[in-house]
């Protein structure tokens, strides 16, 4: 099972789908326990009277709760004494605090990652000063301190911090562990290295002896020397004399205007992931990212001819990854079903209803049992909405709608898109607004329809799509709409607008059910409909960061 996306908690997915010792390398950029929500700040031109709020990408707030207590108990019962002792020690030092909950959450998942790694595999855990010291203790217990390789500093100087009480934070940390001492590793040489005058003299000769080792810089010049390299126990070859890369990596973070940027928070540069993958894997190896976010690891792995497995608990992230891979590798027509698979998502109407019901139970559990749950009720509701919005795509399979997820302020709007309507007299693009609402109520009355129409009017929307979880077209939607609502839907469904580019009359209001979407019946949308989601740059032959790799 390779080149696959998995929706849901990576702990469940690792246990269900990934066999022992089948993964060659793992990079993970998990939540940092930053005590914050992260939004996807997609921007659009001003439409109507309000700007749509951003979509939540993920939730990074932790609390000591029932889930944390159960995780602690499971760790205490671990068959390896080191893991049980680690959990007991952290609990005694930290107590029942958010950091403890975060550490136990990470520990359970790192145990599974250790299980699936091959003996030659490596793990890169991306973190920052918030919890790196605790995470290293956890990794020492799981992987063994003897398998710690490096604490890599990713240094970036293109971000400013103006907090008066501390120095500017200009680096993240990558903790590198091998599964065993046999873990793969390749030396990487950076072309940006500039030799000193002494080093230039060594390069001119083509070789040198250092601490009993023979180092060859130029094969032709060394061949002329007549030296027999078999007489030396250690022989190294270094292109142009470049020293191996150290554990401080200077790679800029993505600036807001970078072509690579997809509008996803915490997005990492492709160059960083290319370096990680080149250093610890070979072509055709399997790379795992259990917190894949917007898919940078998967992008880099595919570009470097590795196979990949990506997991994320947010369906919004799954949508972004599908879009990114399709755009970046358009030349090979990479897309879902043609080059990669997707697991744990509904493929039928019944499964979609199950997803909605599970989310409803999650929301109810947050509200009644534990108001400080790790996964907020807003995040729970977003996953079903994101799944539904992801079903509406154009002929090329690209998303047409993006989420709007600030439930207290969005007027009931769950998604939006735009219509290109030509240009005005000043040569500026004219755009119309598409609004979408997703309802999970088992019965929908006229009031719900009128409220949506009111938001459409207030936002000056060109088109509106009302999607109901329940109801079936073959029943005329009478199984979900009250008679008054059905009459209202029939009335407003007659309203149309004429598109200035194609001259066709298009419905202003459409009512659909999830059963329609799951049976591949799509809303009527002009070909000029678009989501304004940033598009990944199409891949070409040249790499983003020129690196030479020599196996050792």
């Amino acid at each position: 099972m390779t080149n696959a996306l998995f929706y849901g908690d990576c702990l469940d997915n690792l246990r269900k789908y990934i066999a022992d010792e089948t993964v060659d390398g793992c990079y993970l950029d998990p939540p940092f326990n930053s005590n914050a929500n992260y939004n996807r700040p997609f921007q659009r031109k001003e439409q109507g009277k309000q700007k749509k709020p951003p979509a939540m990408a993920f939730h990074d707030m932790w609390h000591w709760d029932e889930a944390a207590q159960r995780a602690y108990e499971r760790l205490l019962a671990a068959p390896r004494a080191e893991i049980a002792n680690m959990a007991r020690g952290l609990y005694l030092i930290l107590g029942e605090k958010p950091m403890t909950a975060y550490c136990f959450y990470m520990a359970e998942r790192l145990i599974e990652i250790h299980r699936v790694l091959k003996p030659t595999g490596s793990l890169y855990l991306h973190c920052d000063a918030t919890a790196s010291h605790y995470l290293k203790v956890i990794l020492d217990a799981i992987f063994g301190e003897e398998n710690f390789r490096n604490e890599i500093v990713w240094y970036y100087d293109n971000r400013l911090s103006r907090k008066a009480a501390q120095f500017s934070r200009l680096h993240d940390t990558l903790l590198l562990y091998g599964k065993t001492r046999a873990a793969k590793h390749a030396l990487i040489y950076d072309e940006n290295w500039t030799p000193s005058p002494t080093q230039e003299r060594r390069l001119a000769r083509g070789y040198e002896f250092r601490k009993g080792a023979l180092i060859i810089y130029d094969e032709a010049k060394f061949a002329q020397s007549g030296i027999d390299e078999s007489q030396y126990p250690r022989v190294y070859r270094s292109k142009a004399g470049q020293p191996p890369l150290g554990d401080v990596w200077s790679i800029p973070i993505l600036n807001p205007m970078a072509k690579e940027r997809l509008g996803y928070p915490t997005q990492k540069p492709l160059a960083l992931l290319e370096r990680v993958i080149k250093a610890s894997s070979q072509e055709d190896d399997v790379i795992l990212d259990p917190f894949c976010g917007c898919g940078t690891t998967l992008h880099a792995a595919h570009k470097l001819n590795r196979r990949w497995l990506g997991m994320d608990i947010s369906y919004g992230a799954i949508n972004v990854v599908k879009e990114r891979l399709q755009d970046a590798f358009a030349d090979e027509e990479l897309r879902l079903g043609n080059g990669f698979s997707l697991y744990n998502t509904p493929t039928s109407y019944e499964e979609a209803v199950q997803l909605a019901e599970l989310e409803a139970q999650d929301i109810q559990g947050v509200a009644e049992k534990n108001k400080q749950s790790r996964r907020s009720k807003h995040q729970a509701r977003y996953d079903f909405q994101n799944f539904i919005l992801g079903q509406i795509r154009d002929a090329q399979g690209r998303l047409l709608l993006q989420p709007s997820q600030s439930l207290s302020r969005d007027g009931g709007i769950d998604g939006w898109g735009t219509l290109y309507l030509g240009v005005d007299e000043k040569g500026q693009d004219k755009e119309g607004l598409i609004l979408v609402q997703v309802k999970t109520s088992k019965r929908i009355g006229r009031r719900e329809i009128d409220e949506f129409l009111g938001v459409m009017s207030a936002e000056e929307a060109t088109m509106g799509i009302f999607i109901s979880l329940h109801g079936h077209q073959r029943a005329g939607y009478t199984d979900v709409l009250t008679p008054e609502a059905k009459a209202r839907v029939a009335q407003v469904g007659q309203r149309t607008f004429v598109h200035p580019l194609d001259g066709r009359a298009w419905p202003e209001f459409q009512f659909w059910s999830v059963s329609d979407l799951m049976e591949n019946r799509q809303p009527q949308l002009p070909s000029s409909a678009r989501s304004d989601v940033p598009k990944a740059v199409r891949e070409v032959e040249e790499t983003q960061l020129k690196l030479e790799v020599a196996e050792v």
Side-chain angles (χ1 to χ4, degrees), residues 52-71:
K52 295 298 141 202
M56 180 184 288
F58 64 89
H59 183 72
D60 190 15
M61 291 183 179
W62 303 82
H63 306 275
W64 185 266
D65 55 15
E66 293 178 11
Q69 178 65 38
R70 290 194 297 270

Side-chain angles (χ1 to χ4, degrees), residues 485-502:
K486 182 172 174 55
R488 183 62 167 152
V489 166
Q491 177 190 20
V492 296
Q494 300 300 315
R495 299 176 184 173
T496 61
F497 76 96
V498 176
H499 197 293
L501 297 182
D502 62 19

Side-chain angles (χ1 to χ4, degrees), residues 49-344:
K49 298 182 180 179
Q50 301 178 25
K51 282 190 176 180
K52 295 298 141 202
M56 180 184 288
F58 64 89
H59 183 72
D60 190 15
M61 291 183 179
W62 303 82
H63 306 275
W64 185 266
D65 55 15
E66 293 178 11
Q69 178 65 38
R70 290 194 297 270
Y72 176 47
E73 293 168 358
R74 287 191 294 268
L75 291 170
L76 289 179
R80 291 174 54 193
E82 306 96 324
I83 293 175
N85 291 337
M86 171 272 294
R88 188 177 295 109
L90 287 174
Y91 183 85
L92 290 174
I93 293 170
L94 296 173
E96 296 180 352
K97 293 182 179 179
M99 181 60 78
T100 324
Y102 172 75
C103 286
F104 294 163
Y105 170 90
M106 289 301 304
E108 287 201 294
R109 286 147 184 82
L110 289 167
I111 289 170
E112 289 302 312
I113 292 170
H114 180 268
R115 175 185 64 80
V116 304
L117 277 174
K118 294 178 181 178
T120 54
S122 297
L123 169 127
Y124 290 78
L125 196 162
H126 195 133
C127 52
D128 68 5
T130 306
S132 59
H133 44 304
Y134 296 121
L135 290 170
K136 189 175 187 306
V137 170
I138 295 169
L139 287 168
D140 281 348
I142 297 171
F143 281 75
E145 58 186 86
E146 70 277 8
N147 290 313
F148 171 68
R149 290 292 186 86
N150 283 103
E151 181 179 23
I152 299 166
V153 173
W154 170 33
Y155 167 69
Y156 38 79
D157 60 1
N158 60 330
R159 184 173 74 177
L160 298 178
S161 174
R162 302 186 181 279
K163 293 184 179 181
Q166 64 187 45
F167 295 109
S168 294
R169 293 182 176 177
L170 298 175
H171 82 277
D172 285 0
T173 299
L174 281 73
L175 299 175
L176 170 58
Y177 282 76
K179 174 76 174 277
T180 66
R181 293 184 182 276
K184 296 176 184 177
H185 183 69
L187 294 181
I188 297 180
Y189 302 95
D190 194 337
E191 286 188 351
N192 293 325
W193 173 75
T194 302
S196 66
T198 300
Q199 291 166 331
E200 285 182 345
R201 288 192 293 272
R202 294 172 180 166
L203 295 178
R205 188 169 64 169
Y207 63 93
E208 70 167 318
F209 302 99
R210 190 187 307 172
K211 296 182 179 180
L214 169 62
I215 304 175
I216 301 173
Y217 302 128
D218 188 305
E219 294 287 351
K221 291 181 180 178
F222 176 72
Q224 294 173 2
S225 70
I227 297 173
D228 182 5
E229 67 176 89
S230 66
Q231 302 302 310
Y232 296 87
R234 291 183 296 151
V235 180
Y236 301 101
R237 285 172 166 79
S238 177
K239 182 180 178 181
Q242 299 165 359
L245 190 69
D247 60 4
V248 178
W249 297 358
S250 181
I251 299 174
I253 60 172
L254 296 179
N255 67 67
M257 302 305 294
K259 291 182 179 179
E260 221 180 284
R261 182 166 285 282
L262 298 175
Y264 198 89
T266 73
Q267 181 180 349
K268 301 303 184 290
L270 196 59
L272 177 68
L273 273 301
E274 287 181 8
R275 182 173 288 182
V276 164
I277 292 170
K278 285 183 176 182
S280 296
S281 70
Q282 299 168 339
E283 288 194 4
D284 204 42
D285 279 355
V286 178
I287 305 299
L288 166 69
D289 187 342
F291 297 86
C292 67
C294 66
T296 304
T297 305
L298 314 185
H299 184 153
H302 200 88
K303 179 177 178 179
L304 296 173
N305 298 316
R306 273 70 167 174
R307 294 172 290 161
W308 48 264
L309 304 168
M311 304 174 180
D312 206 279
I313 200 169
S314 163
Y315 205 90
I318 297 296
N319 279 337
V320 172
V321 174
K322 289 192 294 184
E323 206 80 352
R324 175 179 192 163
L325 294 175
Q326 179 173 318
D327 290 341
F329 300 99
D331 289 346
E332 59 183 273
E333 297 184 351
L334 181 68
R335 63 181 182 275
L336 181 61
N338 184 45
F340 68 94
S341 304
L342 177 60
Y343 292 83
N344 271 356

Side-chain angles (χ1 to χ4, degrees), residues 504-523:
R504 289 181 54 186
W506 294 91
E508 292 183 4
F509 173 90
Q510 300 180 57
F511 183 93
W512 294 83
S513 74
V514 171
S515 65
D516 294 323
L517 301 181
M518 298 307 295
E519 293 170 9
N520 205 30
R521 291 191 293 273
Q522 294 275 314

Side-chain angles (χ1 to χ4, degrees), residues 477-494:
Y477 305 116
T478 55
D479 46 350
V480 66
L481 292 172
T482 66
E484 295 80 6
K486 182 172 174 55
R488 183 62 167 152
V489 166
Q491 177 190 20
V492 296
Q494 300 300 315

